[in-house]
Amino acid sequence: MMLVDELRVALGAERLIEDPDVQASYAHDEAEWAPAGRPLLVVRARTTEDVRAVVQACLRHRVPLVPRGAGTGLSGGANAVDGCVVLSTEQMTDVVEINPVERLAVVQPGVVNDHLRAAAAQQGLWYPPDPASAPWSTIGGNVATNAGGLCCVKYGVTRDYVLALEVVTGTGELVRLGRRTAKGVAGYDLAGLIVGSEGTLGVVTEITVRLRPARAPEHTVAGYFGSLVAAGEAVRAVGEAGLVPSALELVDRHCLRAVDDWKNMGLSADADVILLGRTDAPGPAGEEEAAAMLACFEQAGATWAARSTDQEEADALFAARRLAYPALERLGPVLTEDVCVPRAAVPEMLGRIEATARRHDVLIANVAHAGDGNLHPLIITPAGDDAARRRAQGAFEQIIADALELGGTVTGEHGVGLLKRGGLAQELAPAVQAMHRAVKQALDPAGILNPGKVFTAAAGSRQTGSLPTDPA
Amino acid sequence: MMLVDELRVALGAERLIEDPDVQASYAHDEAEWAPAGRPLLVVRARTTEDVRAVVQACLRHRVPLVPRGAGTGLSGGANAVDGCVVLSTEQMTDVVEINPVERLAVVQPGVVNDHLRAAAAQQGLWYPPDPASAPWSTIGGNVATNAGGLCCVKYGVTRDYVLALEVVTGTGELVRLGRRTAKGVAGYDLAGLIVGSEGTLGVVTEITVRLRPARAPEHTVAGYFGSLVAAGEAVRAVGEAGLVPSALELVDRHCLRAVDDWKNMGLSADADVILLGRTDAPGPAGEEEAAAMLACFEQAGATWAARSTDQEEADALFAARRLAYPALERLGPVLTEDVCVPRAAVPEMLGRIEATARRHDVLIANVAHAGDGNLHPLIITPAGDDAARRRAQGAFEQIIADALELGGTVTGEHGVGLLKRGGLAQELAPAVQAMHRAVKQALDPAGILNPGKVFTAAAGSRQTGSLPTDPA
């Protein structure tokens, strides 16, 4: 039987998307610059058994399988390859368990990040990882990319919260990795290995995450700066002062203007660059930390800085930061960077980004999880301007080269996907790339899982982006 | 040339231990019950290049290589196999860098845990993982076992602090895994995979760890309980109250008596079981958390409980806890357990351990990182009593079975080594064991790295504990 017929029988026609126009909307994530192929079929799984049936069918027919969550990724990691099955877990939305004594949650991969956070909050608990996409992105996608977010600077990233995973492997086996206990060293950390592997080592069907107790209310400190570099100096000063803010975000004038143009928030009149710091230390310690952060902002030359005493105002500033990306998308295709550099290199890297924008004659807007050196220069080109696209590509590559030169990494939290494959090959030594291929070969020997993502196949390997596909 | 001659030329005779009596002291860790073979040679490496030379020589000669740190392990993970090279990194003791702005340290694997902590403290920084062996165990060994400790209950384990590793792989390549930046998702988490792999996937030659700012002084709360189960109920109550202590340790009367007999501290007169809680929340939050913990102790039926206002007294209590293991070793060979169960199951598990001691007619002393459910029942037998050893083995297996039945793991922090291989095979499904073997095969295709540890080789695999060794 052909693959599509087989899956129609196994899962029911309502799980399949066969309309090419609808399929097209499942063929890519939000990385506007990344190429996407045409899927053979899109399947929306409801259960673990659905997922397993799809993986096993793809194995039998040697058809590539591309897993996806909500498709909010920014590196093309969920983009279809020609003739593949796209497997969406967006409809696996059960919150299976919130356990206040063990402080853990068990969810299906399609649960939206904000939904998990709300469910935890109802029991006085908190799930920290908070990518800017939290209202839309799913925990499954967050696990696939090891998503970060605003409060990572103090609380770590998705991998730091994943206790256990249920996974369908590249050999079609259903396995449970990790544990429910607070500690455990029984064997290799295979759950941690799956986190951030961008669907290339297995399809995650259930996730057990650690939760924390709800935290103290945050204090917000805002600073306006006359230049990116001055804001970067403030970031370095916060690090040098030994402060650990619960957020330290940077938003530049291009972003502020785009948000103003869209939402009319009146942010861009006074500031070239805004730095938003938060602390959630309890009681007087929070007051002290906020005061110390304010002093760092002022020493670094803030044109204006203050502790926000108005919670609504503080929330509006953070809302503007979260809106920066969609606001910029309205101006033209955005080529998203995601480099991460050592804290001390933040001012230098911001200066180099400005120089790159000038040299390549492109508009680069900046938002940044500045406190951990994770910068998102966003390169915006007018739609349909091919010369601008070429200049943008040159800027993109220069930024990667600069980040690596400063001891940084090509991707802080978005993942490699398609956009950073070249960067990864620059960052990792050949022997480390060989280790990646060996692990991929070990856990997905048929090479069906998200082929061509993260790294390209070695010559002679079975991991190709163009498996001998069944015409179905 | 024979292997030994080759290494004598390459490294110099002073790096080699050829005396069989001295070799014997390097042939085992502190797991008194685990079998150890006779090494062909012991090498004490000084440099990364020494390590690489040893791995490459072992590869050429197909001789098994057993890496070791200080040898304080408790599961036989560093025990020699017959004819192997034992590679000690204890003399690689350089603290390469302490960086207060990036809040990281770079150390060689032979740096003792307490030494790193002291070096960090000099710059106002803190390295949290604090196994009870911290005065003796090395960071290399801590990485190999993903060591835990007292403050893990709030601050996590070794893996949570490892940013980057320099590793000599099973193919003799020198690679750098991980990064120096606060965040990064460039490829698979191979550094995290090496952590806790007990020397079976690579030999670690340099370690970059995250540091935290020095923390607020701790408040200590001590509680005396009439039974293990009552103390366990207090642990559960602390979890249910949503408290996150910076330590929550349990020490039973057998341990207290052993410490008293050795150090004359006068601890065992009043308490059957002591629970030691700490909080390091800053300022009034710490006062509140200490008061809340005290209330939990009292509600659970403490016969006496108080906040310790005397820092010396508090430190003495924790010193006694750290001395429990060496004090018990004076009584006879100790068979060390290391199960970890969900917090809510702590009272039930402690009750089952008592029942197991009665049923198998053995002495079981208990220390526990109780706050994260990590229990160390210590089974003590008189030296030379074979019948008692058989009963102890039965008790050991019953404890493993009970921990698994309660949703726990067979090893919380000591590692699998030799003692828990059977337990691991019970805990992990066959498909997960197959994934382990596939990863091992991928990264150590010759099977030379610490063969026979963690899991036994599959039939037909090249990963055996008895490679066709070169007689040298």
Side-chain angles (χ1 to χ4, degrees):
Chain A
M1 205 175 354
M2 297 303 188
L3 172 64
V4 175
D5 300 329
E6 207 176 298
L7 287 175
R8 198 182 296 111
V9 170
L11 279 72
E14 72 280 10
R15 305 257 65 80
L16 274 50
I17 297 175
E18 301 185 61
D19 177 324
D21 291 339
V22 185
Q23 281 184 351
S25 69
Y26 282 84
H28 60 83
D29 64 16
E30 291 183 13
E32 300 169 73
W33 282 58
R38 284 188 51 174
L40 167 71
L41 182 66
V42 176
V43 179
R44 287 178 297 186
R46 274 275 170 84
T47 66
T48 294
E49 280 313 307
D50 288 350
V51 171
R52 197 171 183 195
V54 172
V55 174
Q56 291 183 337
C58 286
L59 265 175
R60 276 195 301 277
H61 293 272
R62 288 291 189 267
V63 167
L65 187 156
V66 178
R68 66 180 272 134
T72 60
L74 291 166
S75 61
N79 282 16
V81 294
D82 284 336
C84 76
V85 172
V86 170
L87 174 57
S88 166
T89 55
E90 70 191 320
Q91 295 189 339
M92 298 176 69
T93 56
D94 289 355
V95 176
V96 179
E97 178 183 0
I98 304 276
N99 188 320
V101 179
E102 309 304 335
R103 287 199 290 276
L104 59 79
V106 181
V107 299
Q108 285 191 311
V111 170
V112 167
N113 180 298
D114 269 356
H115 185 185
L116 168 57
R117 294 155 66 82
Q122 281 182 355
Q123 305 216 29
L125 297 164
W126 179 43
Y127 177 69
D130 60 343
S133 62
W136 314 287
S137 65
T138 62
I139 301 299
N142 292 174
V143 166
T145 56
N146 189 22
L150 277 64
C151 69
C152 300
V153 61
K154 181 165 181 176
Y155 291 101
V157 294
T158 302
R159 183 180 288 115
D160 299 314
Y161 292 86
V162 171
L163 275 172
L165 295 174
E166 184 187 75
V167 176
V168 178
T169 71
T171 57
E173 300 267 9
L174 179 66
V175 295
R176 296 199 70 90
L177 308 173
R179 60 186 197 280
R180 279 174 67 96
T181 50
K183 287 159 73 180
V185 291
Y188 300 154
D189 184 18
L190 296 181
L193 181 65
I194 298 291
V195 178
S197 67
E198 304 188 29
T200 65
L201 298 180
V203 183
V204 171
T205 53
E206 191 183 89
I207 301 130
T208 303
V209 292
R210 249 182 252 280
L211 302 173
R212 299 178 67 100
R215 57 182 174 161
E218 290 176 288
H219 303 271
T220 299
V221 180
Y224 291 1
F225 294 86
S227 73
L228 273 178
V229 173
E233 297 289 357
V235 171
R236 182 162 67 184
V238 169
E240 284 172 349
L243 301 174
V244 185
S246 54
L248 186 52
E249 296 289 312
L250 178 152
V251 192
D252 80 357
R253 61 184 176 283
H254 303 300
C255 299
L256 295 171
R257 268 184 218 140
V259 172
D260 278 347
D261 290 347
W262 185 26
K263 298 287 183 181
N264 205 16
M265 291 173 78
L267 295 164
S268 57
D270 303 315
D272 266 347
V273 184
I274 292 183
L275 211 53
L276 298 171
R278 279 189 156 167
T279 165
D280 62 1
E287 307 273 343
E288 285 162 27
E289 200 161 72
M293 195 152 29
L294 183 60
C296 290
F297 286 13
E298 286 168 344
Q299 281 160 28
T303 54
W304 175 87
R307 286 191 40 196
S308 176
T309 48
D310 178 344
Q311 190 62 38
E312 270 184 48
E313 180 194 72
D315 289 346
L317 289 169
F318 275 88
R321 187 267 170 255
R322 286 182 188 274
L323 288 170
Y325 190 81
L328 289 165
E329 278 188 308
R330 297 171 69 246
L331 307 183
V334 177
L335 180 54
T336 309
E337 264 293 1
D338 174 43
V339 294
C340 189
V341 297
R343 281 182 201 100
V346 168
E348 168 73 18
M349 186 69 212
L350 288 169
R352 290 194 186 194
I353 291 166
E354 288 193 302
T356 294
R358 284 192 301 272
R359 195 173 326 117
H360 292 264
D361 186 24
V362 286
L363 174 63
I364 304 184
N366 283 280
V367 287
H369 304 306
D372 39 30
N374 187 192
L375 312 181
H376 295 311
L378 305 169
I379 312 171
I380 299 142
T381 53
D385 182 340
D386 284 345
R389 280 181 78 95
R390 281 191 296 275
R391 295 198 304 275
Q393 189 65 38
F396 184 82
E397 280 155 21
Q398 184 59 50
I399 290 168
I400 286 174
D402 283 331
L404 290 174
E405 192 177 296
L406 295 174
T409 176
V410 300
T411 175
E413 59 178 11
H414 292 171
V416 178
L418 294 170
L419 292 182
K420 288 295 174 67
R421 289 191 308 183
L424 191 80
Q426 286 172 258
E427 180 168 341
L428 303 184
V432 179
Q433 296 177 45
M435 290 173 77
H436 278 76
R437 292 199 174 92
V439 168
K440 167 75 172 172
Q441 179 71 28
L443 299 183
D444 177 24
I448 60 159
L449 293 176
N450 214 5
K453 307 298 162 52
V454 184
F455 44 81
T456 49
S461 159
R462 274 174 290 168
Q463 306 149 42
T464 74
S466 52
L467 294 173
T469 55
D470 184 311
Chain B
M1 206 177 348
M2 297 302 187
L3 173 65
V4 176
D5 300 328
E6 206 176 298
L7 288 174
R8 197 182 296 111
V9 170
L11 279 73
E14 72 280 10
R15 305 258 66 78
L16 273 51
I17 297 175
E18 301 184 61
D19 177 325
D21 291 340
V22 185
Q23 283 185 351
S25 69
Y26 281 85
H28 60 84
D29 64 16
E30 291 183 12
E32 298 170 74
W33 282 57
R38 285 188 50 174
L40 167 70
L41 182 68
V42 176
V43 179
R44 286 178 297 187
R46 272 275 171 85
T47 68
T48 293
E49 280 314 308
D50 287 351
V51 171
R52 197 171 182 195
V54 173
V55 174
Q56 290 182 339
C58 286
L59 264 174
R60 276 195 301 278
H61 292 272
R62 287 291 189 270
V63 167
L65 187 155
V66 178
R68 65 181 272 133
T72 59
L74 291 165
S75 61
N79 282 18
V81 295
D82 284 338
C84 76
V85 172
V86 170
L87 175 57
S88 167
T89 55
E90 71 192 318
Q91 295 190 338
M92 298 176 71
T93 56
D94 288 354
V95 176
V96 179
E97 178 184 0
I98 304 277
N99 188 319
V101 179
E102 310 303 335
R103 287 199 289 276
L104 59 79
V106 181
V107 298
Q108 286 191 310
V111 170
V112 167
N113 180 297
D114 268 357
H115 184 184
L116 168 58
R117 295 155 66 81
Q122 281 181 355
Q123 307 218 27
L125 297 164
W126 178 44
Y127 177 67
D130 60 343
S133 61
W136 315 286
S137 65
T138 62
I139 301 300
N142 292 175
V143 166
T145 56
N146 189 22
L150 277 65
C151 68
C152 300
V153 62
K154 181 167 182 176
Y155 291 100
V157 294
T158 302
R159 183 180 289 115
D160 299 315
Y161 292 87
V162 172
L163 275 172
L165 295 174
E166 184 187 75
V167 176
V168 178
T169 70
T171 56
E173 301 266 10
L174 178 66
V175 294
R176 295 199 71 91
L177 308 174
R179 59 185 197 281
R180 277 174 69 96
T181 51
K183 289 158 73 179
V185 291
Y188 301 153
D189 184 19
L190 297 180
L193 181 66
I194 298 292
V195 178
S197 67
E198 303 186 30
T200 65
L201 299 179
V203 184
V204 172
T205 53
E206 190 182 271
I207 302 133
T208 304
V209 292
R210 250 182 252 280
L211 302 173
R212 300 177 67 99
R215 57 183 174 158
E218 290 177 289
H219 303 270
T220 300
V221 180
Y224 291 0
F225 294 86
S227 74
L228 273 177
V229 174
E233 297 289 357
V235 171
R236 183 160 67 184
V238 169
E240 284 172 350
L243 301 173
V244 184
S246 53
L248 185 52
E249 296 289 311
L250 178 151
V251 192
D252 80 358
R253 62 183 174 284
H254 302 301
C255 298
L256 296 171
R257 270 185 215 136
V259 172
D260 278 347
D261 290 347
W262 186 25
K263 299 286 182 181
N264 204 16
M265 292 174 78
L267 296 162
S268 57
D270 303 316
D272 266 348
V273 184
I274 291 183
L275 211 53
L276 298 171
R278 278 189 155 166
T279 166
D280 62 1
E287 307 273 343
E288 285 163 27
E289 199 160 74
M293 196 154 25
L294 182 60
C296 290
F297 286 13
E298 286 169 344
Q299 280 161 28
T303 54
W304 175 86
R307 286 191 39 195
S308 175
T309 47
D310 178 344
Q311 190 61 38
E312 270 184 50
E313 180 193 73
D315 288 344
L317 288 169
F318 275 88
R321 186 267 171 254
R322 287 181 188 274
L323 289 171
Y325 190 80
L328 288 164
E329 277 187 309
R330 299 170 70 245
L331 305 184
V334 177
L335 180 54
T336 309
E337 263 294 2
D338 174 42
V339 294
C340 189
V341 296
R343 281 183 200 100
V346 168
E348 169 73 17
M349 187 68 212
L350 288 169
R352 291 194 187 193
I353 291 166
E354 289 194 302
T356 293
R358 284 192 302 272
R359 196 174 324 116
H360 291 265
D361 187 24
V362 286
L363 174 63
I364 303 184
N366 282 279
V367 287
H369 304 306
D372 39 29
N374 188 193
L375 312 181
H376 295 311
L378 306 169
I379 312 171
I380 299 141
T381 53
D385 182 339
D386 284 345
R389 280 181 76 95
R390 282 191 296 275
R391 294 197 306 273
Q393 189 64 40
F396 184 82
E397 280 155 22
Q398 183 61 50
I399 290 168
I400 286 174
D402 282 331
L404 290 174
E405 191 178 297
L406 294 174
T409 176
V410 301
T411 175
E413 60 179 11
H414 291 172
V416 178
L418 294 170
L419 290 182
K420 287 295 173 67
R421 290 191 307 184
L424 191 79
Q426 286 173 257
E427 180 168 340
L428 302 184
V432 179
Q433 295 178 46
M435 291 173 76
H436 278 75
R437 292 199 174 92
V439 168
K440 167 76 172 170
Q441 179 71 27
L443 299 183
D444 177 24
I448 61 159
L449 294 176
N450 214 3
K453 308 295 163 52
V454 185
F455 44 82
T456 48
S461 159
R462 273 173 290 167
Q463 306 150 42
T464 74
S466 52
L467 296 174
T469 54
D470 183 313

